[in-house]
Amino acid sequence: MPENIKKLTPRRRPKQGRSRDTVEAILTASQQILLRNGLKGFNTNVVAKRAGVSVGSLYQFFPGKEAILAALVRDMRRDMLADLIAAQQASNAGDLADVIGAMIDASLKHHLRAPELTATLEQAEAQLPMDAETQALKSNMFQLVLGVLQRHAIEDPETVTQDVIAMCHGMVDAAISAGERDFDEISSRLRRATINYISATN
Amino acid sequence: MPENIKKLTPRRRPKQGRSRDTVEAILTASQQILLRNGLKGFNTNVVAKRAGVSVGSLYQFFPGKEAILAALVRDMRRDMLADLIAAQQASNAGDLADVIGAMIDASLKHHLRAPELTATLEQAEAQLPMDAETQALKSNMFQLVLGVLQRHAIEDPETVTQDVIAMCHGMVDAAISAGERDFDEISSRLRRATINYISATN
Amino acid sequence: MPENIKKLTPRRRPKQGRSRDTVEAILTASQQILLRNGLKGFNTNVVAKRAGVSVGSLYQFFPGKEAILAALVRDMRRDMLADLIAAQQASNAGDLADVIGAMIDASLKHHLRAPELTATLEQAEAQLPMDAETQALKSNMFQLVLGVLQRHAIEDPETVTQDVIAMCHGMVDAAISAGERDFDEISSRLRRATINYISATN
Amino acid sequence: MPENIKKLTPRRRPKQGRSRDTVEAILTASQQILLRNGLKGFNTNVVAKRAGVSVGSLYQFFPGKEAILAALVRDMRRDMLADLIAAQQASNAGDLADVIGAMIDASLKHHLRAPELTATLEQAEAQLPMDAETQALKSNMFQLVLGVLQRHAIEDPETVTQDVIAMCHGMVDAAISAGERDFDEISSRLRRATINYISATN
DNA sequence: GATGAATGAGGGTTCATTCAT
DNA sequence: CATGAATGAACCCTCATTCAT
């Protein structure tokens, strides 16, 4: 799929000057549109207009609308991975529950920062083909959790990793879509679910 | 939103005769299209053609394309609820783990019957406004689990219900999208996750 | 190139009813647009508008704008081939010059019927990939001339066929673009050019 | 049409310095693009990029994209006319067939030097309005042939000139598009066609 | 002069929906 | 009721051209 790659990779990623601002404006506008209109109402014309930019400019930086979504997802995953790594390192000394808990909190913080936008982006992520970097980022997250479980001698760590990530994903989505916003409350449930699941393995 | 309701409710749902067949043909065709082309490739013209029916007829029975998706989701939820009820009644004599396990198996069986289609329908469900009946069905499922937990004197049963459903949802989705198709294997992990979570509550 | 074929073959070719009229209207409008605006000014929106038809309808019958051009070219070649065959059969009794002359006249008549349109269509033909039928039609024309030359024992008849067709093509184009419209005058020059070329071969 | 003239005439045609190089780079890049992408893929942005020049600079020297094509056509015609004149002078002593033959060879050499590019440029020439100089160049070529025919007392020399040029044009195009690249072979056929046509006049 | 980001009109195509037959 | 041709708003994307720096 060489086409797909071209469609999801930004055309240019300028690090400075006018271009930088344009890209920033497009991404910000995109988030706003996504928030207000949802995935269905997300299209290049609206984004360009809200960004105060011409369609042409938009296409100068993004090969298509999917590329914008891909960029937003990528950024989200980048931030998340960075925070997960930080959380894991900060809590490295603790026992398994501490490390897992710290990582859960890091991830949860992301969701609660912009719950609706995150939800929409995860929707987008689910129906888009994933670009290479995002794939790598997700793989890294998986490896991060996997490493923790391995270091604590958990049996069949790959499966447990998948399940732990999945159950958190499910619970967080449900909590947020139910309108919950209490960090500690959700965190404690996630910890309970994961720790008990992991413990029950051995 | 009177519009939304009109858009998701079938104009009528004939129980017999040629009309019944037409509706059936449309729904079957829709599933096939969804399976082959995904949500993006799902559109009324294609569905009508595959169903061997004119677009006009399609609109005779469904007020719009979302209504077809809504109907498929509704049917899925109907079946599921029926099976959940049956599972719960059949295992009523057992302890909490038995009942929960039986319900998990019922739900899992649904997913494994047509994994990709189910996944696509759940996607659709997530981005569609939900019609009244589907809402009622989901509420009933919730009540069903809630009742079980209450009967076993679980603390804060509403939250636990939400979480149990959510973690199963998450884990099943992940397993299926990872290509897993082994019923017993997935079932045992779901049981472990839910039972341990519920037990840890008290 | 399966894509190319889809792009040049009409979606449906209705032989009766409303559809027939629509297709006819589109083709007629296309000729008018081509005549007034040239190839550059030829686009689906204009064609649809002039045809008194919606763009959607246009795309119901033609998979794209190139398909319309392809259809016009095809029709032109079909007519031409039919007349060439008729001319060849009618003059079969005569000597080589008679047959060639008759065929030249048939072809020339076509050009003079709508000189500018024909010129534009030949332009289109030159830059479009040719669909299967048009290819076959052109091949048949070639075979027709080739057969005549072979029956008269002309040496290297393939090359001569190509050259004879090509020189007529060139001379007719030039004459028409120079504004000439005198059938007999042009015909007599074409006959002189071809016959002398063919005779000089042996 | 003052517009047309402005659009086809280069803003200036510097004879030295950096500007000269820029213009040269643009023209060379244009030929490459034309060769690789065809007329349809020829656009100012691509040309500028390949020329290693900014679009702005391109517009400094050419008032629009058609002007670039016009310049390429003009250059081609200039070269051709020069070679035709040389050929005619070199063979002036010979008889009619010698002179015509020499001129045919000169022209054919041009086509075979870069057959595809030449074909594309002739296509462009056909759909572009012709600028004054190109018109003059073509007129000069016509006069050149006309002069030869007149000096040999050919009847109705204008018409014959037009026809001779046209039949060569047609035959060369056909030969080249058929993949022929054998200079002598094509030349001999062109000579046969022209000489016999001219001779048959009187 | 040179640059290249920005513009936006223009043109291609799809598809949900209507309506005359 | 069924049909399916017709509609046209909505989107996507390109590229000739301008203009602030």
Side-chain angles (χ1 to χ4, degrees):
Chain A
M1 294 103 178
E3 311 268 327
N4 269 341
I5 287 169
K6 203 191 317 177
K7 267 0 194 96
L8 293 175
T9 306
R11 294 217 163 129
R12 292 189 281 138
R13 265 298 213 176
K15 277 279 168 268
Q16 45 152 322
R18 232 189 318 175
S19 311
R20 194 23 229 278
D21 296 348
T22 301
V23 169
E24 224 51 50
I26 292 169
L27 292 176
T28 303
S30 294
Q31 293 177 327
Q32 294 169 349
I33 299 290
L34 242 19
L35 215 44
R36 290 185 222 302
N37 308 4
L39 253 186
K40 254 196 46 194
F42 179 83
N43 72 283
T44 51
N45 295 308
V46 185
V47 168
K49 173 159 288 177
R50 172 160 226 109
V53 147
S54 69
V55 227
S57 278
L58 188 155
Y59 276 92
Q60 191 127 44
F61 297 103
F62 298 95
K65 79 166 173 167
E66 309 222 318
I68 305 179
L69 291 171
L72 291 175
V73 170
R74 211 181 305 121
D75 287 357
M76 171 176 78
R77 292 300 171 210
R78 264 208 278 250
D79 285 3
M80 203 162 187
L81 178 59
D83 286 355
L84 280 176
I85 290 174
Q88 191 254 348
Q89 283 170 344
S91 63
N92 219 4
D95 63 10
L96 180 60
D98 290 337
V99 187
I100 293 293
M103 293 175 76
I104 281 174
D105 284 359
S107 142
L108 185 54
K109 210 175 303 174
H110 268 277
H111 275 88
L112 287 176
R113 186 133 55 221
E116 300 90 352
L117 178 60
T118 304
T120 308
L121 283 180
E122 284 185 342
Q123 248 200 156
E125 194 179 15
Q127 46 212 101
L128 247 60
M130 222 154 56
D131 63 306
E133 191 188 341
T134 304
Q135 236 167 305
L137 290 166
K138 299 205 85 172
S139 165
N140 285 348
M141 290 189 209
F142 187 93
Q143 296 300 328
L144 202 61
V145 178
L146 180 64
V148 171
L149 295 183
Q150 282 172 331
R151 239 165 287 133
H152 287 83
I154 302 302
E155 242 177 72
D156 192 2
E158 282 85 3
T159 304
V160 177
T161 298
Q162 172 184 302
D163 286 343
V164 162
I165 293 175
M167 69 173 62
C168 287
H169 192 111
M171 289 171 72
V172 171
D173 280 4
I176 280 179
S177 101
E180 295 187 47
R181 295 293 118 107
D182 182 335
F183 181 92
D184 292 330
E185 159 67 15
I186 304 177
S187 170
S188 92
R189 276 146 57 197
L190 292 171
R191 284 163 184 258
R192 197 187 336 144
T194 51
I195 298 304
N196 282 294
Y197 180 66
I198 296 172
S199 309
T201 305
N202 292 21
Chain B
M1 291 102 178
E3 309 268 329
N4 268 342
I5 286 169
K6 200 190 323 175
K7 282 327 203 131
L8 293 175
T9 306
R11 293 203 205 265
R12 50 219 173 69
R13 198 57 182 274
K15 278 278 169 271
Q16 45 154 318
R18 213 188 336 167
S19 303
R20 233 295 291 267
D21 296 348
T22 301
V23 168
E24 225 49 53
I26 291 168
L27 292 177
T28 303
S30 295
Q31 292 177 326
Q32 295 169 349
I33 300 290
L34 242 18
L35 214 44
R36 292 184 222 302
N37 307 2
L39 252 188
K40 253 196 47 193
F42 177 82
N43 72 300
T44 51
N45 293 299
V46 183
V47 168
K49 170 158 290 175
R50 172 161 226 109
V53 151
S54 70
V55 226
S57 281
L58 187 154
Y59 274 88
Q60 192 81 31
F61 296 103
F62 297 93
K65 100 169 179 161
E66 308 221 318
I68 305 178
L69 291 170
L72 290 175
V73 170
R74 212 181 305 120
D75 287 358
M76 172 177 76
R77 292 300 170 211
R78 266 208 278 252
D79 285 4
M80 206 163 187
L81 178 58
D83 286 355
L84 281 176
I85 290 174
Q88 192 253 348
Q89 283 171 345
S91 63
N92 220 2
D95 63 9
L96 181 59
D98 289 337
V99 186
I100 293 292
M103 294 175 76
I104 281 174
D105 284 358
S107 140
L108 185 55
K109 211 174 301 172
H110 268 278
H111 274 90
L112 286 176
R113 184 133 53 222
E116 300 90 352
L117 178 60
T118 305
T120 308
L121 283 179
E122 285 185 342
Q123 248 201 150
E125 194 180 14
Q127 46 212 100
L128 247 58
M130 223 154 56
D131 63 308
E133 190 188 341
T134 305
Q135 235 165 313
L137 290 165
K138 298 203 87 173
S139 166
N140 285 348
M141 290 188 210
F142 187 94
Q143 295 301 326
L144 201 63
V145 178
L146 180 63
V148 172
L149 294 185
Q150 282 172 331
R151 238 165 289 132
H152 286 82
I154 302 301
E155 241 177 74
D156 192 2
E158 283 84 4
T159 304
V160 176
T161 298
Q162 172 185 300
D163 285 343
V164 162
I165 294 176
M167 70 172 59
C168 286
H169 192 109
M171 287 171 72
V172 171
D173 281 5
I176 281 181
S177 103
E180 295 187 46
R181 294 293 118 107
D182 182 335
F183 181 92
D184 292 329
E185 158 70 12
I186 305 177
S187 169
S188 95
R189 275 146 55 197
L190 293 172
R191 284 160 183 261
R192 197 190 332 146
T194 51
I195 299 304
N196 281 294
Y197 180 66
I198 296 171
S199 309
T201 306
N202 292 21
Chain C
M1 294 100 178
E3 310 270 328
N4 269 343
I5 287 170
K6 202 190 319 176
K7 264 5 192 93
L8 293 176
T9 306
R11 294 217 163 127
R12 292 188 281 139
R13 263 301 211 175
K15 278 279 168 268
Q16 45 153 322
R18 232 189 318 174
S19 311
R20 195 24 229 279
D21 296 348
T22 301
V23 168
E24 225 51 52
I26 291 168
L27 292 176
T28 304
S30 293
Q31 292 176 326
Q32 294 169 349
I33 299 290
L34 243 18
L35 215 44
R36 290 185 222 303
N37 308 3
L39 254 187
K40 252 197 48 193
F42 178 83
N43 70 281
T44 51
N45 295 304
V46 186
V47 169
K49 172 159 287 177
R50 173 160 228 108
V53 147
S54 68
V55 227
S57 278
L58 187 154
Y59 276 92
Q60 191 125 46
F61 298 103
F62 299 95
K65 81 165 175 170
E66 309 222 316
I68 305 178
L69 292 170
L72 291 175
V73 170
R74 210 180 308 122
D75 288 356
M76 171 177 79
R77 292 299 170 212
R78 264 205 279 251
D79 285 4
M80 204 163 189
L81 177 59
D83 286 355
L84 281 177
I85 290 173
Q88 191 253 349
Q89 283 170 346
S91 64
N92 220 3
D95 63 9
L96 181 59
D98 289 337
V99 187
I100 293 292
M103 293 176 78
I104 282 174
D105 283 359
S107 140
L108 185 55
K109 211 175 302 174
H110 268 277
H111 274 90
L112 287 176
R113 185 132 54 222
E116 301 89 351
L117 178 60
T118 304
T120 308
L121 283 179
E122 285 185 342
Q123 247 200 151
E125 194 179 16
Q127 45 212 100
L128 247 59
M130 224 154 55
D131 63 306
E133 191 187 340
T134 306
Q135 238 168 305
L137 290 166
K138 298 205 85 171
S139 165
N140 285 349
M141 291 190 208
F142 187 95
Q143 296 300 328
L144 201 64
V145 178
L146 180 63
V148 172
L149 296 184
Q150 282 172 330
R151 237 163 290 133
H152 287 83
I154 302 302
E155 241 176 75
D156 192 1
E158 283 84 4
T159 303
V160 177
T161 298
Q162 171 185 301
D163 285 343
V164 163
I165 293 176
M167 69 172 57
C168 286
H169 191 109
M171 288 171 73
V172 171
D173 280 4
I176 281 181
S177 101
E180 296 187 47
R181 296 292 117 108
D182 181 335
F183 182 93
D184 292 332
E185 159 67 14
I186 304 176
S187 170
S188 96
R189 276 147 53 199
L190 292 171
R191 286 161 182 260
R192 197 190 333 145
T194 51
I195 299 304
N196 281 294
Y197 180 66
I198 295 171
S199 310
T201 305
N202 292 20
Chain D
M1 293 104 175
E3 310 268 329
N4 269 342
I5 287 170
K6 200 191 320 175
K7 284 321 206 136
L8 293 174
T9 307
R11 294 204 204 263
R12 51 219 173 65
R13 199 58 182 271
K15 277 278 169 272
Q16 44 154 321
R18 213 188 335 168
S19 304
R20 231 297 289 270
D21 296 347
T22 301
V23 168
E24 224 50 52
I26 292 168
L27 292 175
T28 303
S30 294
Q31 292 176 326
Q32 295 170 348
I33 298 290
L34 244 18
L35 214 46
R36 291 184 221 303
N37 308 2
L39 250 189
K40 251 197 50 193
F42 178 82
N43 74 303
T44 52
N45 293 300
V46 183
V47 169
K49 171 158 289 176
R50 172 161 227 111
V53 151
S54 69
V55 224
S57 282
L58 187 153
Y59 275 87
Q60 192 81 31
F61 296 104
F62 297 94
K65 101 171 179 162
E66 310 222 316
I68 305 177
L69 291 170
L72 290 175
V73 170
R74 211 181 306 120
D75 287 357
M76 171 177 78
R77 292 300 170 212
R78 265 207 278 250
D79 284 4
M80 204 161 187
L81 177 58
D83 286 355
L84 280 176
I85 290 174
Q88 191 254 348
Q89 283 171 345
S91 64
N92 219 3
D95 63 9
L96 180 60
D98 289 338
V99 187
I100 291 293
M103 294 176 77
I104 280 175
D105 284 359
S107 140
L108 185 54
K109 210 174 303 174
H110 268 277
H111 274 90
L112 287 176
R113 184 131 54 220
E116 300 91 350
L117 178 61
T118 305
T120 308
L121 283 179
E122 284 185 342
Q123 246 200 160
E125 194 179 15
Q127 46 211 102
L128 248 58
M130 222 154 58
D131 64 306
E133 190 188 341
T134 305
Q135 237 167 307
L137 289 166
K138 298 203 87 170
S139 165
N140 284 349
M141 290 187 211
F142 188 95
Q143 295 302 325
L144 200 64
V145 178
L146 180 62
V148 172
L149 295 184
Q150 283 173 330
R151 239 164 290 132
H152 287 83
I154 301 302
E155 241 177 75
D156 191 3
E158 283 83 5
T159 302
V160 177
T161 298
Q162 171 185 301
D163 286 343
V164 162
I165 292 176
M167 68 172 62
C168 286
H169 191 110
M171 288 171 72
V172 171
D173 281 4
I176 280 181
S177 100
E180 296 187 46
R181 296 291 117 106
D182 182 335
F183 182 93
D184 293 330
E185 158 69 13
I186 304 177
S187 170
S188 95
R189 276 145 56 197
L190 292 172
R191 285 163 183 259
R192 198 192 330 147
T194 52
I195 299 304
N196 282 294
Y197 181 66
I198 296 172
S199 309
T201 306
N202 292 23

